Amino acid sequence: MANGQWFPPDWPDRIRALADGALTPVAPKRAATVMLLRDTDAGPAVHMLRRRASMAFAAGAYAYPGGGVDPRDDDHQVRWAGPTRAWWADRLGVDETAAQAIVCAAVRETYEEAGVLLAGTGPDSVVGDTTGDDWETDRAALVARELSFAEFLDRRGLTLRSDLLGAWTRWITPEFEPRRYDTWFFVAALPEGQRTRNASTEADRTVWIRPRDAATAYDEGRLLMMPPTVATLRQLIPYAGPAEALAAAPDRDLTPVLARARLEDGEVVLSWPGHDEFTKHVPTGGPAPA
């Protein structure tokens, strides 16, 4: 392996089926993921999770906290601080109810998987330590989907701090995948007084790591990652800290990145527009290259 790109073993067959017209793409589900940043003496670091070896998809790969949108967060008007829902709808390219649900998913998943909550008792506050038993009870109910995030905010009288998020990029799972997601990537800074922990049942390790170090570890084959994770790590490298990255977010292009598969000279060529490093050449009659 030249680098740490995770490549699903069934991709070649599925790519060939798509190219032959034998595979009908499934509709992608909405999702959100958050690159949580903090300042360190060595520069900005990002919080990453390693997916458990037992996971059916991307086992052992490093990723950010994230997951699917809960449809229950579409309709319920939560307490909201920061840019309006209309602003977020324009920024994310969706309607206002979908924008609220996507932002709620970003904040909820960060809380579920990292124990960090981007919400406060008012538009200018952020909660402190969230590690108590009562917080854990609510977090577990969110994970089990026994409680919607909108209900959680209402129960605790909390305001969602959308101003603490910056929309960074958008990737859509390739058309040949059986499970597809339309994922918005956000940046956020670790709030003062809060700390991360491995709260995810899908991860066996968490790290704070400089984006440059993580990208180098991928290049050397020491860390497994999927293309969106590597691409976003490289994009974070130029920024001196979380505040600088957040300030840059509103000007980021959110045109979706969608992999393309085409037949060329006896191979299926898999590419991600604008990200040539991830291009794969798959022989039409054999397995994918290592």
Side-chain angles (χ1 to χ4, degrees), residues 7 23-24 35 44 51 62-63 102 112 120 171 179 199 268 270 273:
F7 194 86
L23 179 66
T24 300
M35 299 178 286
R51 293 173 59 82
Y62 281 77
I102 293 165
E112 286 183 6
W171 287 62
R179 292 183 299 177
V268 173
L270 176 62

Side-chain angles (χ1 to χ4, degrees), residues 6-7 20 38 43 45 49 51 54 74 98 114 126 141-142 157 194 203 244 264-265 268-269 271 276-277:
W6 185 81
F7 194 86
D20 292 341
R38 74 176 185 186
L49 318 172
R51 293 173 59 82
S54 59
D74 279 52
V126 184
L142 287 168
Q194 294 193 40
E244 191 173 301
E264 183 178 293
D265 298 328
V268 173
V269 180
S271 61
D276 292 343
E277 71 168 299

Side-chain angles (χ1 to χ4, degrees), residues 134-288:
D134 58 333
W135 286 103
E136 181 58 24
T137 297
D138 279 351
R139 194 197 65 79
L142 287 168
V143 171
R145 297 297 181 260
E146 297 167 355
L147 182 68
S148 75
F149 192 64
E151 293 168 338
F152 165 75
L153 293 175
D154 277 353
R155 174 185 295 183
R156 289 188 167 269
L158 294 174
T159 297
L160 184 148
R161 292 288 305 275
S162 81
D163 54 319
L164 300 181
L165 286 169
W168 192 260
T169 190
R170 179 180 178 186
W171 287 62
I172 301 178
T173 307
E175 292 180 331
F176 47 81
E177 270 291 332
R179 292 183 299 177
R180 301 185 63 214
Y181 296 94
D182 184 353
T183 305
W184 284 263
F185 285 69
F186 295 84
V187 290
L190 178 68
E192 185 176 354
Q194 294 193 40
R195 61 183 185 271
T196 56
R197 55 196 173 94
N198 185 6
S200 174
T201 58
E202 298 181 355
D204 62 9
R205 184 188 183 207
T206 64
V207 295
W208 281 100
I209 187 170
R210 295 193 308 167
R212 184 182 303 278
D213 293 341
T216 297
Y218 164 85
D219 291 336
E220 296 175 352
R222 292 185 286 112
L223 294 186
L224 291 177
M225 298 180 202
M226 299 189 71
T229 310
V230 182
T232 49
L233 284 170
R234 298 202 197 285
Q235 291 161 359
L236 289 172
I237 289 173
Y239 297 96
E244 191 173 301
L246 277 165
D251 295 324
R252 296 272 311 166
D253 182 9
L254 292 187
T255 301
V257 179
L258 173 63
R260 297 173 180 168
R262 67 184 188 277
L263 286 170
E264 183 178 293
D265 298 328
E267 293 182 320
V268 173
V269 180
L270 176 62
S271 61
W272 281 260
H275 301 274
D276 292 343
E277 71 168 299
F278 305 126
T279 299
K280 288 285 185 181
H281 294 261
V282 183
T284 56

